[in-house]
Amino acid sequence: MSTALLQTKLRLPTLPPKRVQRPQLIKRLHEGLESGRKITLVSAPAGFGKTTLIAEWVYALDVPVAWLSLDPSDDDPGRFFAYLIAALQKVDAHIGREIEGVLRAGQLPPGEILSTAIINDIHDFVGRFLLVLDDLQVIQDLFILQVLEKLVAYLPDPLHLVLLTREDPSLPLARLRANNQLTEIRAGDLRFTGPEADRYLHEVMDLSLSETDVATLADRTEGWIVGLQLAGLSVRDREDPSGFIATLSGSHRFILSYLTEEVLGRQPEEIRLFLLQTSVLDRLNGDLCNAVTGRTDGAALLEKLFAANLFLIPLDDEQRWYRYHHLFADLLRGLLCTGQNDTMASLHRRASHWYEQVGLSGEAIRHVLAAADYAAAVRLVESHAMGIIIQGYTKTVESWMQAIPPAWSAQSPRTNLAFAWMYLMRGAYARALPYVERLRAIFADAKTGEEDASLTAEWLALQAMLLNAEGKPAESLALSDRALAAVPEMESHVRSLIHMGRAGAYQMMDDYEHAVEAFQLIILHSRAAADFVPEMLGYAGLVQLAIHHGRLQFAFEIASRGVERVGRSGALSPVIAAVHGALGYVHYQWQQIEQARGYFQRAIQLSTLGGFSDAEISYWVILSRLLQMEGDLEASAAEIQKAVDLMRAVAPAWVREEVVSQQVRVYLAQGRVAAAEAALKGEGFAARNQYAIPALAPGQYLTRPAGLLYNSAIRIILHRARTGHDPAGLHQGIELADRLITVMLQHQYLPVALETLLLRAQMYAVLGQDQAGRADVLRALELAEPEGFIRIFAEEGPPVAESLTFLLERNRLGSVEAGYVKKILAAFTGSQPSEAKQPAPNQAALPSPLTERELDVLRLMAEGLKYEEIAQRLYISLNTVRSHVKAIYGKLEADNRTKAIETGRRLRFL
Amino acid sequence: MEDISTYRISVLGSVNEEEINAMSPLWMEMTRAETAATLFTTRADQSGLIGLMRHLHGRGFVILSVSRVNTDTRGPIGQK
């Protein structure tokens, strides 16, 4: 399916050249808008002139209008919000930029985040604008409705929402109606009055009818506009229109089909056939009509139908694309399918073929499904499902799967593979399992995959991932090797999937080198296959691995490359939060605190956007650490509490130890030893209700998270000894530290090992064994210097500073550079020499330098302030802020806030 | 033309009036509350009624019956 959005859905409808003016209704709409009501609801069945009325109104308004014409395929959150944001950006290109990037990466932010982001962006708009959602009745998806509900509940001042629908939407309108916040136009208001019917038949349809005939038609059709139009077409050029009108009886509910047949019967055969055949199309253009009808004059006939007022609505200014009036199309289809199912199926097949040729696979699939041609549907879904899933239109693919009978879909390996991968990558193993079971059945047949090595390789890769989830990395690697042996050279997509399994398995086996290589291959192959999200997963996994092993330089290099790649792509996967988080961690350890803070805040923002609570928690943890080091214990405690609260709500597994570790630090800094012990007790550090540390045998394997917990336990021992509660516990602490250092260094978890070394040094110091303590500090320096760790020393406070000073002053640093130690010591005092030595902002890199005021605005933007807040802070008008922002974007070559801030950081303005 | 009518809607179980109206597109006035079913009335045209039915169904309410009470077209729809 093409990712390009159909611009015809975003443009204001073209008004019919001749129409009946409806000043009373326009006046009501105006009054509603001027009185400050938030919403206009136009709710009436098809054919009442809703779209025409609102189009006429908004053309006369002097405010910007965002228009979105919805169709049934928009009832998919990914697609709906892509179009909604595109419509809003017609008014202001800044609205929804972040969300747009996320959607472009094929991901859907949580509803709460989505609505908040859109509402906040609209708040920044200066002035007022209209958002028109036409044919809203097609939207029934609960997720979309919940976001709209939030939008309706917190409608920002600049926005007036106009809803056009055949039925009242499932939104809290009763409340708005009670508060006089709703302008309503309904069927009763839209019915043509007698004089309006008269003007319509005489002036619009150019008919010469008597007053009685007009009154009869108005009465028979009950002022229903589409009924009048059909009636008008039926009597046109009749010798005895009055006679025909007199024969009409019953309400429009009964005469509509009759009139349609009359209209058709009065057309030349070629037009009649053309109308019936093309009624299967939701949109029409000349080429498509030619493909469906077998004619060569489709474009000319469409122009002819439009001129004849035959319910054809132009969708673009060039009049290349049209659609039939929905109701007329329904009636035509009703006539077409009477006894002609084969004809209908054949027309749909031809339409599908045309759409496939022009690359609109979504439309192609919809038409073969309408033709009940399941073999073709499976073939198309197999070819395109993965691509569409990667774009995030999962509901669309799910609906196709439901439309294809299981007998057909269960036999399709590629479709089932696409679904299994989708759920596995989202961590939803349970939802992946039905597809895996189908695949087992499919591949149990020895013939499957025989002729398609790529298919076999993909199935092996999927099984390897499942084995990782079952904690069987060796078996997983064996399958990955088989997959690599089978996969054709050019199959980059499958190769990236295989390396995902390998990366996971090597990580579980603590094989750093091979895991790094596997992650690099994921990036390489995903990029070759243009799979953006897997590529970002590769970056995220790689930087996280590097951080866990203390490879700061490498993490910095990869993360910078990842950020640059995202900037160039225009897509914004929330997965990239891990990359920002890694950059934050590196800057933090390098004592570049403001950069660190900026990256952590961005990481939290992106994690929130993607609904990645676990990542968000881990960044709250490190922010807490940062604030603690700055001496703001209160703020630090508040940040870690956010992490704890979120962890209780979502209970992710892999961040628990990180949270507990920081909780213990904060509690001890607050002097709350019992609380620190209680936090660890929850992790199994207890026996018979008493705080106790699980035994750690020499050589016993420990994971990195377990290492964090043991360090926390040692930290409590140290604290108790220092406060005179349990000095004897230090011997147990030192013994634990000995084993922990060995195992963490053996598995190359450098940051954990450094922390343990520094804790052991402090325990030695309490015991008066200063020499042993300094030896540990020196060992830590030797290990830390190549990567430039600074803060890990500063976090430990004065005892470590004293050892460092002693080593420096007595010149006992061995191979360690004195300058490095001076930098660390400066970090203890808070003078931050590394930042002080930062070069001046690089104005020379810009074609035109930023002014002081622009720098002020950029800094406030980086703090996350809205334009209104910046205006208040700087005592300037909102428009001045906007012009500064425009200038900043131009000079930094950025097209949104995020990019401007990133470039600002890179050039050291921030 | 009978655009607006008063409808009586019966919903399974005991349902709170404020709760059901908090998110509703049309105001529904509770006329009888019993454990087994709750009876509401509302004024709606066809678009309003269909939208309301779909809304109730989408929110998990079980609709037991819908009947038209009268066809008084005066006054606005779905108001408290």
Side-chain angles (χ1 to χ4, degrees), chain A residues 43-45 48 137 140 142 145-146 149 165-175 177-178 184 186-189 191 222-223, chain B residues 1-4 21-28 44-52 54-56 58-59 76-80:
Chain A
S43 182
F48 271 90
Q137 77 281 348
Q140 299 295 338
L142 205 56
L145 287 172
Q146 280 169 349
E149 191 178 294
T165 177
R166 293 185 194 181
E167 61 192 54
D168 287 22
S170 182
L171 296 171
L173 300 178
R175 221 168 37 194
R177 194 178 285 115
E184 268 182 287
R186 308 193 66 90
D189 306 306
R191 293 182 193 285
E222 298 176 359
Chain B
M1 283 184 282
E2 296 159 356
D3 276 317
I4 301 172
N21 279 310
M23 292 295 153
S24 175
L26 294 177
W27 181 265
M28 298 167 68
D45 59 10
Q46 290 296 299
S47 297
L49 184 67
I50 297 295
L52 182 62
R54 204 187 289 277
H55 166 78
L56 291 173
R59 301 284 161 154
I77 71 156
Q79 287 207 350
K80 194 172 179 180

Side-chain angles (χ1 to χ4, degrees), chain A residues 203-408:
Chain A
E203 295 168 19
V204 177
M205 301 212 67
D206 288 328
L207 297 170
S208 300
L209 298 174
S210 68
E211 210 172 298
T212 313
D213 288 343
V214 171
T216 307
L217 276 182
D219 181 56
R220 294 285 192 270
T221 58
E222 298 176 359
W224 195 17
I225 301 166
V226 77
L228 270 177
Q229 188 176 352
L230 276 169
L233 288 167
S234 303
V235 299
R236 179 180 280 169
D237 301 328
R238 263 184 204 273
E239 284 179 11
D240 179 19
S242 301
F244 174 77
I245 290 167
T247 63
L248 295 177
S249 62
S251 73
H252 64 249
R253 286 175 275 282
F254 306 110
I255 62 172
L256 203 61
S257 300
Y258 171 67
L259 285 176
T260 309
E261 285 181 43
E262 277 297 314
V263 170
L264 274 185
R266 296 176 61 75
Q267 304 303 322
E269 175 61 19
E270 63 166 10
I271 297 284
R272 197 181 65 80
L273 193 60
F274 184 84
L275 283 167
L276 287 171
Q277 289 179 324
T278 55
S279 68
V280 300
L281 303 170
D282 288 338
R283 295 182 194 85
L284 308 94
N285 74 10
D287 282 348
L288 176 56
C289 290
N290 290 342
V292 168
T293 60
R295 303 178 64 98
T296 55
D297 57 352
L301 278 183
L302 286 172
E303 279 177 34
K304 201 169 167 183
L305 293 181
F306 179 63
N309 210 3
L310 272 166
F311 297 96
L312 205 58
I313 298 164
L315 296 175
D316 54 28
D317 289 328
E318 296 80 31
Q319 300 198 350
R320 280 198 297 254
W321 282 95
Y322 298 86
R323 72 168 172 84
Y324 287 121
H325 188 286
H326 294 311
L327 192 64
F328 187 61
D330 286 346
L331 292 164
L332 288 176
R333 280 195 283 264
L335 292 172
L336 175 69
C337 75
T338 312
Q340 298 192 52
N341 282 337
D342 287 347
T343 308
M344 201 158 196
S346 145
L347 294 168
H348 276 299
R349 272 197 208 95
R350 286 183 220 160
S352 172
H353 183 68
W354 186 86
Y355 274 120
E356 192 184 355
Q357 297 292 310
V358 299
L360 291 169
S361 50
E363 296 292 321
I365 292 169
R366 203 180 58 71
H367 278 289
V368 284
L369 285 173
D373 184 347
Y374 299 121
V378 166
R379 178 182 62 77
L380 284 168
V381 171
E382 280 196 332
S383 308
H384 301 285
M386 195 62 181
I388 296 168
I389 285 171
I390 283 173
Q391 286 171 41
Y393 297 166
T394 50
K395 195 179 166 193
T396 300
V397 185
E398 277 170 352
S399 72
W400 294 337
M401 285 293 275
Q402 281 162 8
I404 300 172
W408 289 90

Side-chain angles (χ1 to χ4, degrees), chain A residues 778-826:
Chain A
L778 182 59
R779 175 82 179 115
L781 282 171
E782 288 164 352
L783 290 167
E785 189 181 21
E787 299 295 340
F789 280 93
I790 292 177
R791 277 243 65 100
I792 204 161
F793 292 90
E795 281 175 344
E796 297 303 328
V800 170
E802 281 168 25
S803 294
L804 288 169
T805 308
F806 181 90
L807 293 168
L808 180 68
E809 288 176 352
R810 303 292 172 91
N811 202 17
R812 292 189 187 170
L813 290 171
S815 60
V816 177
E817 287 284 334
Y820 173 54
V821 179
K822 283 177 188 168
K823 270 189 194 173
I824 298 174
L825 282 169

